[in-house]
């Protein structure tokens, strides 16, 4: 049975589907939901905007709604029928455009195009019929957007199935030449893609003969469906691997076509010009008898462009044609231009980084090597790039990109300039170091370690600077031991980077020396877990003696309260050091000291878990050889099969611990949140009595208290946490339930997790209080997931239906003390209304909303706005609504003839669309 929905229910259903398609389809079948969509798309009761939103689902979730080819074929047939039934009214233009895109999306995703089914043939023919109305001669300019959309659909089909339009080149070129409206751009791009694919398709054909290219250019046959069948078998080769050698006559004809297209390319937008040039570049690269000089006239125009897409086209040409189109002087000019653009003050950081990356991957005329990684052009010199030297005033991305580029420049050059450049980099690094040690935030600290990494990467052969660098890094750690994670990452990455990792070893030894020389009291006070993490990393280096580390830990365990306090994190960190020592060091050197340390911990540490782990390590140390011990402690990389036994191998086979340590995802809904009616409340003002010294004084105090309480505004909503329907018996008793809520926008402060000790299906459901702190009073959606433990001991996770926070949930009566009489509140209302006058300096606005007069205006107002009425007269009401954290909506409701006029004043005009939607939904509900 297909459900007939109205606009309000469809709006909620569409929002829910976008939030979680799987969850919606669990409550109904895809077939049923799809049938509802198709039925209401043909209904005249729903507006065009709702139908567009419904079609968006087919574009966003085609495989969920049409999982197989037959379903996709049926749905597209229905959508084509709907399209054919629509009139040529301009009011339906958006709907018709979305219908075309939806049909194409479904045909492609369900593979109906490659199968050449009838509905795909009909659709492509329909698109060609639409674009045949050149210059709006038949249907007028109102249908021009539909022609543009049809061109884009054909272009997308040609991109997905190269060669589909290769036998339509003559008619497409004729259309491109005749079209003189704004749609000319779409026709040009469509023809360029079809031409490029046709030429490449011909180049792949081994039997291509003289006259083949001319035949393709003048072809006016049907659609080449055979090309769609082989699209999955297209060879993965670059354009330079195609080869086509047509006759002189064919070349001349193709050159004439390209010249005419290039001649009016300036009429296109910058992005479209870039797309067009890219297609034509590939054509010229395939047709080897066609000279790239045809682009020379374009270069004169493009060399001075500030548009990034057009500049990228120049680099694409250079990458394909090198010295056959660009001279050495052109190359030098391009490099200078890139250097200038990389520091242009009017460009965004993203564009500057793009130009720096272009310098690192510059397509030279005669490259010295074929390495595709970062390489500097020969013409890029120290002098040319001197202005790009990084400073502490650059943002972090720019600073690092510049350092990387300049490091390569100085590395490739020798002599006094290069030596001076290394000194400059060291000074730059020390400047950042000073900022970090004095008042560095997280960003500059991260930048410092990346700068250190880059310096080590490029200048590790400079012994003096590398020694100084170790002292600099150690000083940073000495100042702030919380940076242990940065130090460990630096050691790991530099060790991978260098063939002979002497620098990372020297840094490890320096850090070890720093930590083991700390006084016991200082060690305890300076975040000992961080120091222990560093020692654990140092313990993995078998070339570094570890006797001092073990003795230091033994002294800590004996002479401090480490064992008495029994802190699990600290004890776990100590045992991690011991584990790395067992795994990576020669045990005959450290056997006695390490055994004494482990024995002391297992006998004295006040945490059972730490005692058990220490006992386990002690047993391994005293009973196994080094080879077996190392094998047990080794961690097996993912995807690698090995016979080495690990921790889990030591346990009995029937102890399936992994099952209990895994969080299991439950697809079926287990829990549900039901709203408790009239549960929302928000108290932005303290209930102190305001002054009775006149309305102006009261309003001043009113606004003052609003300002003071803005930061503490809190919306509370109450829900019953219940079980969903048909829950399996193993989920009837849940423990340690944690509800995790995630916001879909930034209009509210982050929401804390909600904890429920237990939940039984046969008990009264608990009431959950959700506290929201709005920053902007807009509706929102919260995604909800639950983490819980079942009676069988499994930890499970499942999703709940998203929570909808409606605009009306934010409505609060004007926050005045209860002692105020209605007359005072009415005066406050009038004063607020007068003050909400719109001008350029505020966000105030007035509006008017009209609706058909209900049978009883009093009953209508009381049923909807009873809490917010501040004054009543016959057929006239004043309604004051407060929205956190500090906004208002004021309404004057009165009847005029057979119409209800609702005058609206607000101090935030952005609220008006939400209010209009809310009022329309009320009207829709009352009309049912």
């Amino acid at each position: 049975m297909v459900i007939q929905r109205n606009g309000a229910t469809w709006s909620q259903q569409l929002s829910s589907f976008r939030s979680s398609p799987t969850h919606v389809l669990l409550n109904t079948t895809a077939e049923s939901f799809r049938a509802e969509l198709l039925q209401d798309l043909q209904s005249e009761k729903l507006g065009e905007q709702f139908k567009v939103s419904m079609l968006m689902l087919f574009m966003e979730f085609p495989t969920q709604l049409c999982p197989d080819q037959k379903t996709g074929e049926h749905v597209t047939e229905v959508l084509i029928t709907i399209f054919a039934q629509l009139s040529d009214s301009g009011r339906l233009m958006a709907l018709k455009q979305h219908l075309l895109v939806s049909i194409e999306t479904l045909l492609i995703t369900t593979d109906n195009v490659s199968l050449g089914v009838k509905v795909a043939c009909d659709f492509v023919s329909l698109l060609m019929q639409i674009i045949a109305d050149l210059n709006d001669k038949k249907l007028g300019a109102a249908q021009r957007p539909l022609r543009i959309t049809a061109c884009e659909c054909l272009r997308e089909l040609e991109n997905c199935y190269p060669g589909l339009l290769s036998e339509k080149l003559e008619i497409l070129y004729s259309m491109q030449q005749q079209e003189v409206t704004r749609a000319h751009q779409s026709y040009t791009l469509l023809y360029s893609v079809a031409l490029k694919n046709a030429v490449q398709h011909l180049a792949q054909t081994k039997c291509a003969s003289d006259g083949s290219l001319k035949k393709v250019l003048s072809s006016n046959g049907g659609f080449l469906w055979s090309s769609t069948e082989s699209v999955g078998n297209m060879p993965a080769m670059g354009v330079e691997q195609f080869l086509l050698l047509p006759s002189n006559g064919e070349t001349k004809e193709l050159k004439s076509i390209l010249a005419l297209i290039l001649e009016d390319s300036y009429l296109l937008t910058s992005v479209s010009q870039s797309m067009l040039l890219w297609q034509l570049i590939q054509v010229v690269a395939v047709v080897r008898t066609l000279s790239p000089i045809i682009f020379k006239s374009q270069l004169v125009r493009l060399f001075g462009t500030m548009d990034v897409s057009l500049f990228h086209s120049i680099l694409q040409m250079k990458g394909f044609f090198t010295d056959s189109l660009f001279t050495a002087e052109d190359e030098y000019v391009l490099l200078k231009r890139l250097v200038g653009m990389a520091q242009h003050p009017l460009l965004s950081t993203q564009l500057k980084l793009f130009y720096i990356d272009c310098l690192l991957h510059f397509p030279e005329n005669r490259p010295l090597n074929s390495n595709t990684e970062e390489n500097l052009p020969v013409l890029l010199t120290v002098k040319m790039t001197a202005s790009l030297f990084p400073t502490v005033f650059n943002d972090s991305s720019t600073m690092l990109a510049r350092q990387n580029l300049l490091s390569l420049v100085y590395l490739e050059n020798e002599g006094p300039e290069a030596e001076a450049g290394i000194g400059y980099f060291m000074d730059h690094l020390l400047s950042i170091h000073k900022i970090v040690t004095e008042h560095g935030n997280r960003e500059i600290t991260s930048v410092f370690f990346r700068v250190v990494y880059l310096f080590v990467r490029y200048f590790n052969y400079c012994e003096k600077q590398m020694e100084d660098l170790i002292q600099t890094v150690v000083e940073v750690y000495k100042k702030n031991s919380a940076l242990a994670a940065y130090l460990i990452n630096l050691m790991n990455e530099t060790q991978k980077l260098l063939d002979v990792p002497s620098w990372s070893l020297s840094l490890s030894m320096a850090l070890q020396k720093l930590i083991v020389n700390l006084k016991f009291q200082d060690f305890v006070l300076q975040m000992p877990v961080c120091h222990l993490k560093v020692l654990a990393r140092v313990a993995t280096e078998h070339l570094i003696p570890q006797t001092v580390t073990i003795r230091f830990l033994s002294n800590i365990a004996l002479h401090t309260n480490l064992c008495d306090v029994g802190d699990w994190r600290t004890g776990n960190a100590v045992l991690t050091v011991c584990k790395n020592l067992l795994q990576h060091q020669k045990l005959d050197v450290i056997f006695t000291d390490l055994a004494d340390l482990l024995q002391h911990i297992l006998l004295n540490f006040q945490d059972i878990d730490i005692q058990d782990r220490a006992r386990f390590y002690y047993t391994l140390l005293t009973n196994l050889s080094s080879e077996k011990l190392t094998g047990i402690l080794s961690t097996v990389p993912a995807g690698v099969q090995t016979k080495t036994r690990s921790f889990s191998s030591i346990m009995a086979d029937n102890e399936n611990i992994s099952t209990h340590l895994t969080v299991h995802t439950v697809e079926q809904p287990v829990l549900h949140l039901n709203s408790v009616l009239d549960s929302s409340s928000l108290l932005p003002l303290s209930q102190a009595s305001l002054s009775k010294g006149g309305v102006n004084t009261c309003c001043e105090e009113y606004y003052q208290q609003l300002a003071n309480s803005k930061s503490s505004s809190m919306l509370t909503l109450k829900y019953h946490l219940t079980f969903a329907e048909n829950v399996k018996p193993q989920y009837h008793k849940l423990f340690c339930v944690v509800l995790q809520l995630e916001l879909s926008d930034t209009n509210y402060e982050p929401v804390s997790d909600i904890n429920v000790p237990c939940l039984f299906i046969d008990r009264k459901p608990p009431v959950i209080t959700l506290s929201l702190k709005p920053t902007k009073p807009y509706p929102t959606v919260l995604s909800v997931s639950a983490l819980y433990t079942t009676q069988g001991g499994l930890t499970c996770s499942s999703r709940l239906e998203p929570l909808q926070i409606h605009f009306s949930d934010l409505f609060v009566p004007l926050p005045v003390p209860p002692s105020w009489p209605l007359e005072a509140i009415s005066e406050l209302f009038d004063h607020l209304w007068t003050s909400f006058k719109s001008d350029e300096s505020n966000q105030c606005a007035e509006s008017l909303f009209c609706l058909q007069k209900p049978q009883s205006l009093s009953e209508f107002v009381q049923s909807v706005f009873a809490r917010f009425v501040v004054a009543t007269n016959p057929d006239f009401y004043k309604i004051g609504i407060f929205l956190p954290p500090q906004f208002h909506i004021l309404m004057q409701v009165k009847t005029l003839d057979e119409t209800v006029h609702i005058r609206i004043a607000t101090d935030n005009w952005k609220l008006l669309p939400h209010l209009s939607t809310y009022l329309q939904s009320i009207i829709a509900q009352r009309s049912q």
Side-chain angles (χ1 to χ4, degrees):
M1 177 180 178
V2 179
I3 303 173
Q4 187 74 28
R5 300 180 185 272
N6 56 26
T9 55
W10 263 122
S11 179
Q12 182 178 0
Q13 186 73 349
L14 294 177
S15 177
S16 299
F17 192 89
R18 285 192 174 89
S19 299
S20 179
T22 305
H23 181 74
V24 172
L25 295 179
L26 285 175
N27 300 325
T28 182
T29 63
E31 181 180 0
S32 175
F33 186 73
R34 185 173 58 246
E36 292 178 40
L37 284 171
L38 294 177
Q39 173 183 285
D40 287 353
L41 279 171
Q42 302 175 72
S43 171
E44 296 182 357
K45 295 182 179 180
L46 290 178
E48 316 312 322
Q49 191 57 46
F50 275 113
K51 292 182 179 180
V52 168
S53 298
M54 294 159 70
L55 287 171
M56 290 293 290
L57 292 189
F58 287 112
M59 291 183 253
E60 296 173 16
F61 309 98
T63 53
Q64 285 92 334
L65 293 174
C66 301
D68 54 66
Q69 182 266 331
K70 286 294 183 184
T71 304
E73 182 180 358
H74 168 69
V75 172
T76 50
E77 286 177 348
V78 175
L79 295 181
I80 289 177
T81 303
I82 294 174
F83 181 89
Q85 293 173 349
L86 296 176
S87 67
D88 295 331
S89 170
R91 181 176 60 85
L92 301 175
M93 182 55 58
L95 178 59
K96 297 178 77 173
Q97 288 176 281
H98 281 80
L99 274 169
L100 291 182
V101 179
S102 301
I103 294 168
E104 180 188 47
T105 302
L106 290 173
L107 286 174
I108 294 174
T109 54
T110 57
D111 214 23
N112 276 287
V113 177
S114 63
L115 296 176
V117 298
K118 182 179 181 299
V119 66
C121 302
D122 293 342
F123 178 66
V124 181
S125 300
L126 173 64
L127 295 176
M128 289 296 296
Q129 180 183 345
I130 293 172
I131 69 172
D133 181 24
L134 297 175
N135 299 311
D136 309 317
K137 289 182 179 179
K138 294 182 180 179
L139 299 177
Q143 297 297 309
R144 188 183 302 161
L146 187 64
R147 290 197 295 128
I148 294 175
T149 302
C151 283
E152 298 304 320
C153 287
L154 282 170
R155 182 155 65 95
E156 184 66 21
L157 284 169
E158 179 63 24
N159 280 322
C160 294
Y161 304 95
L164 177 65
L165 303 176
S166 60
E167 295 186 359
K168 291 281 188 182
L169 288 184
E170 184 180 24
I171 188 172
L172 291 177
Y173 181 64
S174 175
M175 290 179 179
Q176 187 270 337
Q177 289 293 298
Q178 294 180 57
E179 183 66 36
V180 294
T181 68
R182 184 169 58 87
H184 173 78
Q185 175 172 281
S186 297
Y187 283 83
T188 301
L189 293 177
L190 172 60
Y191 177 73
S192 67
V193 173
L195 175 63
K196 183 261 296 183
N197 289 339
V199 170
Q200 290 188 356
H201 191 272
L202 184 61
Q204 290 180 49
T205 306
K206 296 180 181 180
C207 58
S209 58
D210 291 342
S212 298
L213 179 60
K214 184 176 181 179
K215 182 180 179 181
V216 168
L217 294 176
S218 60
S219 60
N220 193 13
F223 302 106
L224 190 63
W225 293 104
S226 59
S227 71
T228 65
E229 298 172 2
S230 59
V231 68
N233 301 318
M234 290 281 287
M237 59 177 70
V239 174
E240 63 275 3
Q241 293 175 272
F242 291 105
L243 177 63
L244 193 62
L245 299 171
S247 63
N248 292 334
E250 294 175 300
T251 302
K252 185 180 295 185
E253 184 176 353
L254 178 59
K255 182 178 179 180
S256 175
I257 291 174
L258 297 182
L260 287 174
I261 294 176
L262 288 170
E263 187 177 344
D264 61 357
S265 62
Y266 69 92
L267 297 173
L268 279 59
T269 63
S270 298
V271 175
S272 297
Q273 286 185 59
S274 177
M275 296 168 64
L276 174 65
L277 289 171
W278 173 234
Q279 305 302 327
L280 300 187
I281 287 169
Q282 296 178 82
V283 172
V284 175
V286 170
V287 183
R288 300 305 168 91
T289 57
L290 190 61
S291 173
I293 298 299
I294 193 173
F295 294 111
K296 200 69 177 179
S297 60
Q298 300 297 317
L299 291 182
V300 176
R301 176 171 64 91
L302 297 179
F303 256 79
T305 184
M306 283 286 292
D307 187 85
V308 64
S309 57
L310 292 178
F311 195 85
H312 189 250
S313 296
I314 301 177
L315 298 177
Q316 287 176 325
M317 290 183 196
K318 195 169 190 316
F320 271 102
F321 306 123
T322 61
D323 55 357
S324 61
L325 182 59
F326 293 84
T327 65
E329 290 77 11
D330 293 336
E331 191 170 63
Y332 183 76
V333 171
L334 274 178
L335 285 173
K336 289 195 67 175
R337 187 74 195 284
L338 283 171
V339 171
M341 300 290 271
Q343 55 184 321
H344 199 290
L346 296 182
L347 296 181
S348 65
T349 299
Q350 291 77 11
L351 284 181
K352 293 177 185 177
L353 294 175
F354 167 74
Y355 288 118
I356 291 176
D357 195 64
C358 288
L359 286 170
L360 293 171
H361 300 86
F362 186 77
E364 295 181 89
N365 284 350
R366 300 182 185 276
L368 296 179
N369 59 64
S370 58
N371 189 1
T372 57
E373 296 182 358
E374 296 177 348
N375 287 296
L376 288 182
V378 175
L379 297 178
L380 195 66
T381 62
V382 172
K383 185 177 180 180
M384 186 187 295
T385 57
S387 57
L388 289 177
F389 200 89
T391 69
V392 294
F393 300 106
N394 298 132
D395 62 273
S396 58
S397 300
T398 302
M399 183 191 302
L400 294 168
R402 287 188 176 188
Q403 170 147 358
N404 185 54
L405 174 68
L406 269 294
S407 297
L408 283 170
V409 171
Y410 287 113
L411 193 64
E412 294 293 331
N413 292 271
E414 298 179 354
E417 287 185 336
E419 294 180 4
I422 297 174
Y424 295 152
F425 279 124
M426 196 65 190
D427 292 341
H428 172 63
L429 192 150
L430 292 176
S431 299
I432 304 176
H433 163 259
K434 187 172 183 181
I435 297 174
V436 171
T437 54
E438 291 187 359
H439 45 73
N441 54 24
R442 181 175 182 178
E443 181 181 4
I444 194 64
T445 302
S446 176
V447 169
F448 169 76
F449 283 97
R450 294 183 181 186
V451 169
V452 171
Y453 174 81
L454 287 175
F455 193 92
V456 175
R457 176 182 178 182
Y458 293 111
F459 306 118
N460 55 80
Y461 60 89
C462 303
E463 295 181 3
K464 177 63 171 65
Q465 285 82 358
M466 297 300 287
E467 291 177 3
D468 295 341
L469 189 57
I470 288 177
Q471 299 304 318
T472 303
V473 173
V474 170
E475 185 178 344
V476 169
Y477 179 73
K478 183 178 181 180
K479 191 80 173 180
N480 186 3
S481 58
L483 300 178
Y486 289 90
L487 266 296
I488 294 171
N489 180 259
L490 179 64
M491 288 187 282
N492 292 338
E493 295 304 317
T494 53
Q495 195 168 51
K496 296 175 187 176
L497 181 69
L498 304 177
D499 294 333
V500 182
S502 57
W503 187 81
S504 60
L505 287 176
S506 299
L507 177 60
S508 299
M509 293 178 67
L511 290 170
Q512 181 194 43
K513 182 178 179 181
L514 170 69
I515 296 172
V516 298
N517 287 333
L518 288 173
K519 297 180 180 178
F520 297 156
Q521 191 172 11
D522 293 339
F523 176 83
V524 173
L525 295 175
Q526 293 180 8
M527 303 180 67
V529 173
C530 294
H531 291 312
L532 292 169
K533 287 181 179 179
V534 174
L535 290 178
R537 171 61 183 80
V538 175
T540 62
E541 301 292 348
H542 65 277
L543 296 177
I544 300 178
Q546 300 295 328
T547 305
V548 292
T549 297
I550 301 175
R551 290 176 180 172
F552 175 74
L553 295 179
S554 298
N555 289 331
I556 292 293
L558 288 170
H559 301 105
T560 69
N561 62 349
L562 173 69
C563 294
D564 295 334
V565 172
D567 180 64
W568 183 89
R569 291 185 64 220
T570 307
N572 194 56
V574 171
L575 291 179
T576 301
V577 180
C578 297
K579 173 182 175 292
N580 289 348
L581 292 171
L582 288 169
Q583 184 175 348
H584 298 282
Q585 300 299 319
K586 293 183 178 179
L587 298 181
D588 54 347
V589 178
I590 60 173
F591 181 87
T592 303
D593 292 334
L594 184 57
D596 290 343
L597 172 62
L598 290 171
Q599 189 178 51
H600 180 79
I601 293 175
L602 71 89
L603 293 175
N604 297 283
F605 204 91
Q606 298 301 310
D607 184 277
I608 296 176
D609 182 61
I610 301 301
Q611 291 180 16
D612 290 343
R613 187 178 172 190
R615 183 177 292 106
F616 176 69
Y617 290 154
Y618 182 80
T619 303
L620 293 179
L621 175 63
T622 56
N623 290 278
L624 296 180
S625 64
S626 297
E627 293 75 13
K628 290 184 178 180
L629 191 149
T630 302
I632 290 175
L633 296 177
S634 296
T635 302
V636 182
V640 178
Q641 293 184 351
T642 180
K643 294 182 180 180
T644 303
R645 296 174 63 83
S646 60
F647 280 140
S648 59
S649 305
I650 301 172
M651 302 179 63
D653 292 337
N654 59 353
E655 295 183 43
N656 191 2
I657 189 171
S658 61
T659 302
H660 292 81
L661 294 179
T662 303
V663 177
H664 300 268
T665 302
V666 181
E667 296 295 337
Q668 295 290 338
V670 174
L671 300 176
H672 185 70
L673 287 173
N674 294 319
S675 176
V676 179
L677 297 179
D678 300 327
S679 63
S680 63
S681 63
L682 187 145
L683 298 176
L685 294 184
S686 63
Q687 292 301 310
S689 297
L690 298 180
S691 170
K692 300 296 191 297
V695 68
N696 290 333
T697 303
C698 291
C699 288
E700 290 177 4
E701 295 188 20
Y702 176 82
Y703 275 116
Q704 183 64 39
Q705 288 208 39
L706 281 184
N708 294 338
S709 61
K710 176 183 175 182
S711 61
S712 61
S713 300
M714 190 67 70
L715 174 71
T716 59
L717 301 171
K718 296 185 182 298
Y719 297 89
H720 280 134
L721 180 60
T722 62
F723 286 88
E725 296 181 358
N726 302 321
V727 175
K728 295 180 179 179
Q730 60 261 40
Y731 303 117
H732 284 183
K733 291 185 178 182
L734 304 180
F735 303 89
C736 300
V737 182
V738 179
L739 297 180
Q740 300 169 328
L741 301 100
E742 294 185 8
L743 292 163
S744 58
D745 49 53
T746 58
N747 297 328
Y748 296 79
E749 296 288 340
V751 184
S752 302
D753 294 346
I754 300 175
N755 299 298
V756 179
C758 59
L759 188 67
F760 296 166
I761 197 169
D762 55 351
R763 293 185 185 179
K764 184 178 179 181
V767 176
I768 302 300
T769 301
L770 172 62
S771 298
L772 292 174
K773 188 174 182 180
T775 57
K776 297 176 183 177
Y778 303 145
T780 190
V781 177
L782 287 86
S783 59
V784 188
S785 60
L787 191 69
Y788 46 82
T789 302
T790 65
Q791 190 174 13
L794 297 180
T795 301
C796 300
S797 173
S798 62
R799 299 197 67 83
L800 283 72
E801 184 177 349
L803 287 183
Q804 303 281 341
I805 306 300
H806 301 286
F807 185 58
S808 57
D809 293 333
L810 298 164
F811 290 1
V812 179
L814 294 179
V816 296
S819 59
W820 270 33
L822 286 178
E823 293 79 4
I825 302 176
S826 179
E827 289 182 9
L828 175 64
F829 178 95
D830 294 338
H831 179 82
L832 293 174
W833 186 282
T834 304
S835 65
F836 291 169
K837 296 299 180 183
S838 175
D839 59 48
E840 295 181 355
S841 62
N842 60 33
Q843 292 186 317
C844 299
E846 293 190 17
S847 182
L848 178 65
F849 189 90
C850 299
L851 57 94
Q852 186 176 359
K853 182 180 179 181
Q855 293 182 351
S856 171
L857 178 62
S858 174
E859 186 274 332
F860 169 75
V861 172
Q862 291 299 324
S863 63
V864 179
F865 298 111
R867 299 168 53 208
F868 315 108
V869 175
V870 300
T872 61
N873 288 312
D875 295 332
F876 179 79
Y877 296 88
K878 293 180 182 179
I879 298 171
I881 299 174
F882 177 79
L883 294 99
Q886 59 175 359
F887 299 109
H888 301 77
I889 290 178
L890 308 178
M891 292 184 282
Q892 294 181 353
V893 183
K894 64 180 180 180
T895 57
L896 186 63
D897 298 330
E898 295 300 318
T899 308
V900 175
H901 283 212
I902 303 178
R903 290 184 61 200
I904 305 167
T906 180
D907 50 359
N908 185 353
W909 61 267
K910 296 180 181 179
L911 302 177
L912 292 176
H914 299 293
L915 179 63
S916 176
T917 303
Y918 172 64
L919 293 174
Q920 290 174 356
S921 66
I922 293 175
I923 296 171
Q925 292 173 4
R926 296 180 67 86
S927 63
Q928 292 180 358

